[in-house]
């Protein structure tokens, strides 16, 4: 029976129409909210099915396991942020301008992908060295790409004389990443009265107030 459902699910993902994709997206969104409030380990597929007014057998037509659902929730958003950071690094402008854009766009991405990226931060699976799955390795690779891009921007600013610091570039970079990531503790785009772009801009100005080398 399970293998039959699996075959149907695989066929629907390959050939299913807009209605199938829309329903699957709704399931992913419902699961993300539960992962955020209850944690990955505290969420069961039966909870997701109940939230969607489905039985588990119907849910399996759209998703094969809780692990697959979690991967669907966070994977794309993490990769997209790494791509954005690398594009900013390679793009025009000096380091302060790039950091402003990086911090603002990261905060905006948290809002646009809410709560997917926050689920990932809370679970912190990207730093779980015990998970050797291909997905976990890919997430660690995306994390490292992002970190490397931020470190490179800070180092470029030090080298060109637009940023000042008494420590190494990676220390500053990790502080920048951590400051924005902490917003997972309080930010909800549907409840917060301050837009994500404004928050990101304020963070960037606060950071650069201490980092930017003034003429």
């Amino acid at each position: 029976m399970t293998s039959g459902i699996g075959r149907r699910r695989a066929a629907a993902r390959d050939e299913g129409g807009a209605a199938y994709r829309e329903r699957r997206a709704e399931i992913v969104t419902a699961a993300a909210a539960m992962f955020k409030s209850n944690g990955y380990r505290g969420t069961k597929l039966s909870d997701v099915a109940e939230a969607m007014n489905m039985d588990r057998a119907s849910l399996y037509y759209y998703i094969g396991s809780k692990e697959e659902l979690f991967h669907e929730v966070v994977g794309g958003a993490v990769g997209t942020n790494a791509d954005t950071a690398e594009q900013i690094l390679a793009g025009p402008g000096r380091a302060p301008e790039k950091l402003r854009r990086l911090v603002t766009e990261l905060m905006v991405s948290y809002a646009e992908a809410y709560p997917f990226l926050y689920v990932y931060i809370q679970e912190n699976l990207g730093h779980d060295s015990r998970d050797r799955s291909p997905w976990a390795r890919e997430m660690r690779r995306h994390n490292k790409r992002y970190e490397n891009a931020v470190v490179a921007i800070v180092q470029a600013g030090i080298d060109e004389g637009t940023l000042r610091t008494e420590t190494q570039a990676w220390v500053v970079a990790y502080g920048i990443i951590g400051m924005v990531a902490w917003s997972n503790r309080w930010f909800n785009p549907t409840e917060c009265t301050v837009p994500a772009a404004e928050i990101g801009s304020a963070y960037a100005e606060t950071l650069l107030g201490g980092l930017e080398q003034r003429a």
Side-chain angles (χ1 to χ4, degrees):
M1 176 177 170
T2 301
S3 61
I5 292 176
R7 287 193 296 271
R8 288 175 56 211
R9 181 173 60 250
R13 292 191 66 174
D14 292 340
E15 305 168 7
Y20 180 88
R21 291 191 295 272
E22 181 178 347
R23 187 60 166 168
R24 194 171 191 278
E26 290 172 352
I27 292 169
V28 169
T29 299
M34 290 191 169
F35 288 148
K36 188 173 189 299
S37 61
N38 304 329
Y40 174 74
R41 293 162 187 82
T43 299
K44 301 177 182 178
L45 278 181
S46 57
D47 298 329
V48 180
E50 182 178 353
M52 296 298 298
N53 293 317
M54 303 169 68
D55 56 39
R56 285 191 61 169
S58 299
L59 184 69
Y60 279 124
Y61 178 59
Y62 295 92
I63 198 77
S65 66
K66 185 173 76 168
E67 181 181 56
E68 178 187 332
L69 190 52
F70 184 79
H71 293 179
E72 181 85 6
V73 163
V74 301
V78 173
T80 296
N81 268 3
D83 292 341
T84 298
E86 290 179 338
Q87 290 165 7
I88 292 172
L89 171 64
R94 308 191 84 180
E97 178 186 338
K98 290 182 178 182
L99 284 180
R100 283 189 181 91
R101 182 180 169 198
L102 182 88
V103 171
T104 301
E105 292 203 12
L106 179 58
M107 193 66 218
V108 169
S109 77
Y110 285 152
E112 292 178 343
Y114 186 86
F116 302 158
L117 286 167
Y118 286 154
V119 167
Y120 181 66
I121 291 170
Q122 289 174 198
E123 290 301 317
N124 202 26
L125 295 185
H127 295 88
D128 187 352
S129 60
R130 295 169 297 177
D131 190 343
R132 302 298 183 183
S133 69
W135 181 85
R137 290 197 299 271
E138 182 182 9
M139 292 301 100
R140 284 192 286 270
R141 181 176 64 84
H142 289 322
N143 285 345
K144 194 62 179 175
R145 287 171 53 213
Y146 193 93
E147 292 167 5
N148 287 346
V150 182
V151 171
I153 292 172
V154 174
Q155 187 62 58
I158 295 170
D159 293 343
E160 71 191 15
T162 58
L163 299 178
R164 64 180 187 273
T165 178
E166 300 299 323
T167 188
Q168 298 181 50
W170 69 265
V171 176
V172 175
Y174 285 8
I176 292 170
I177 295 168
M179 185 183 78
V180 185
W182 185 256
S183 61
N184 83 88
R185 301 295 296 270
W186 59 268
F187 179 70
N188 181 328
T190 64
E191 298 175 358
C192 186
T193 58
V194 181
E198 183 178 332
I199 295 170
S201 179
Y203 280 173
E205 291 306 314
T206 300
L207 283 163
L208 289 166
L211 282 173
E212 191 169 6
Q213 186 71 43
R214 305 298 179 180

